[in-house]
Amino acid sequence: MTATATTVLTARALLLDMDGTLVNSDAAVERVWRRWADRHGLDGDEVMKVVHGRQGYASMALLLPDRPMEQNHADNARMLAEETADTEGVVAIPGASEFLASLHGLPHALVTSADVPLSTARMAAAGLTQPDVRVTAESVGASKPDPEGFLKGAAELGIAPGDCIAFEDSGAGITAARAAGMQVVGVGPRAGVHGPDVVVEDLTRVRVEAGADGTLRLHIG
């Protein structure tokens, strides 16, 4: 559902995707992946339907199913370097800075398919402070839509997965959070078709209230 009237969700921790959720990196993602599509004779529009939320090698495996996985990993390393160097147009999602500031001292983590250099570069380009707990591409053996990243984020915070709320924009990410047993706040235009619990246009619509018992109340709308 779209948050029109105020919706209240409760949790004990928040797990935050980066691209499309905290950071608008769509312009950079489009530039890098459309070049890749051209190199491989693929339709750029079809490629862009696949790549959001996944690690690059996982997207490549779907788009070039007959190619050896070691080639995907090698290609992914080159793509990550390209993406890390290209921060033109990378900006914060409206409300992201204030939202992150409101979480200071509360249990929350970044759960991203980007690696450390890419996530560091994009968060810096957007002027955002990194959460203390971060689950990046190096931390997991399986890309979203596998739930490993979200489960690892919950474990690092010491919170049961069912007591976490994930913030996500992509189908792969929402599927991963659902598989981890979490409620999901969908952020932005991609999120709504993938069945999150609630959808917001951006993070200006979210307010966090911390209870004395450790419960977090999200006021959305």
Side-chain angles (χ1 to χ4, degrees), residues 117-144:
L118 180 57
S119 59
T120 301
R122 285 189 175 161
M123 291 288 280
L128 298 177
T129 302
Q130 295 253 33
D132 291 337
V133 177
R134 299 184 288 274
V135 179
T136 61
E138 297 93 338
S139 309
V140 298
S143 169
K144 300 172 185 177

Side-chain angles (χ1 to χ4, degrees), residues 158-183:
I159 304 294
D163 289 329
C164 297
I165 293 176
F167 283 68
E168 268 287 357
D169 72 300
S170 70
I174 292 168
T175 298
R178 283 271 187 238
M182 300 174 182
Q183 295 182 89

